[in-house]
Amino acid sequence: MKSAKASIQIIIAIMLLVGLMPLGNTLNNIKEDAGLADRFIQRPALGFDNIAADILWIKTIQYMAGIKKADVKSSNITYEMFERITDLDPLFTGAYTLGGLAIAHKTPAKSLILFDKAIAHNLNIGWRIPMFAGVVSMHNMKDYDKSAKYFALASEVKDSPFFLKRMQALAKARSGDLGTALILWERLYNSSDSASVQIAKRELVRVAAEILKTSTNNKLRNKADRIIKEIL
Amino acid sequence: MNIILTIAQGVYQRIIKSRILYVIVVFCLFAIAYSTLYSAVTAGEETKLMKDIGLAGIAVAAMLISIMVGSTAIPAEIESRTIQTLISKPVKKHEFILGQFLGSVYVSLLSIAIMSVGFIIILAIKTHALNLIMLKPLILICFEAIVLVAVSVLFSTICSSMVSSILAIVVYIAGHLSYQIPFLVERAGNVVTKFIGLFLYYALPNLQYFNVKAPAAHGICIPWGLVFGVILYGAIYTAVMLLVSLVIFKNKDFA
């Protein structure tokens, strides 16, 4: 009788344990959907990853404060430190921002790696990090196409400032894609943002003139011609 | 039910006299308060750091207290021979186990509540706002503590308090790493290794479910669905541990 009761209890325990399997999968899915999924990282910190990230953050600040003259070597070390911080705490926006901007001058490619990581890991990243990535691509890398993509990403974020659209159009024009730049400036010219209208007017004329001077595409030339006539 | 509550009360009265409990709670509160002084070296991230230290401190303290009270509850009764008196009275063994468990859980939750109130107050003073978003990780820390108490009670039915404390700490560590097992199982070529890996994955508590400290510290909203799901997970796992404890304890002879 006693052993039968024990067996039933063991069976119930096993059944409950089996019942945890689908519940575990459901919890994993909820975590995944909420952007809180557990990652396979090399330095598991028993749930204290963010504390480890904080300690490394303080050490990195101390290291950066001690740099007398920034060079590629110190920039690489700083990058590695921020890479580790953001491995441990992928939601640490401050680390991406400071790290990305601190190394942008000497190692802009690595700066973009940090910004890309921020964009990939954070669902609600905001507009600042894509904007910084756009600025680094534009000024430090001279990669205007990439820059335009970052500014486009930043301008799509809710409540982002209007100047990001202007930056996107500017980057497009600098990348040589005058057709797209013309469309973007025209859109800004027709917008309700008064500051953008004035700038867009000036830029539209400049881009249209550039098209008339360099482009062989008749359709584009006609459009540029029409815009110039409309504005002036 | 009255017997269970009486035993739980006895456990509470015995544990509450322990000085180490107060040392852990005071040390945790001191660590949280001290974190406010870090602002000079955090480059504008002092609030995040404070939240991290607060939640981590409470989680560590909760783990230590849960394992300490859960592991010592039954061995203490055995060593002081009060168990023979209790068992000889009309106290059933399941009532004894549940009483020990509830008493230990009560002490753990009380300690967590004290630390949490202290943390919320210190955070409110620092940020001039009531950070109620911190409640969700704190609730999950409470349920993690309950699971750990259940695991410790299970071990304490088999071994001495010292050994069961060590085993419970091992489960705590393994429980926080178990989410990595599926990644390793995928890469394992051997069928036996895969089987053992999957068995461990489902048998060990996945304590990472209870860990939402990082998103909470970043102000990210944790869905209530996740919180309730994790609470359900914790409740089922606790029930399993208590059932197994009961089976083991019922076959024990204290004569």
Side-chain angles (χ1 to χ4, degrees), chain B residues 20-37:
Chain B
I20 187 91
L21 190 74
Y22 298 104
V23 170
I24 294 171
V25 172
V26 170
F27 183 77
C28 176
L29 286 172
F30 179 74
I32 296 166
Y34 190 74
S35 68
T36 56
L37 303 175

Side-chain angles (χ1 to χ4, degrees), chain B residues 13-83:
Chain B
Q13 279 167 354
R14 181 169 48 78
I15 298 171
I16 212 74
K17 287 174 193 159
S18 165
R19 272 187 210 155
I20 187 91
L21 190 74
Y22 298 104
V23 170
I24 294 171
V25 172
V26 170
F27 183 77
C28 176
L29 286 172
F30 179 74
I32 296 166
Y34 190 74
S35 68
T36 56
L37 303 175
Y38 279 124
S39 55
V41 288
T42 54
E45 295 289 342
E46 61 265 29
T47 311
K48 179 203 174 289
L49 203 93
M50 210 182 143
K51 287 174 183 174
D52 283 342
I53 291 175
L55 289 174
I58 292 172
V60 171
M63 180 266 285
L64 290 173
I65 292 168
S66 311
I67 291 176
M68 190 185 78
V69 296
S71 307
T72 52
I74 295 172
E77 302 284 3
I78 296 171
E79 278 162 27
S80 63
R81 297 191 179 272
T82 43
I83 193 162

Side-chain angles (χ1 to χ4, degrees), chain B residues 130-144:
Chain B
L130 203 57
N131 288 270
L132 292 176
I133 200 163
M134 291 294 130
L135 283 180
K136 286 177 190 172
L138 289 171
I139 290 170
L140 293 186
I141 287 171
C142 289
F143 278 86
E144 187 183 44

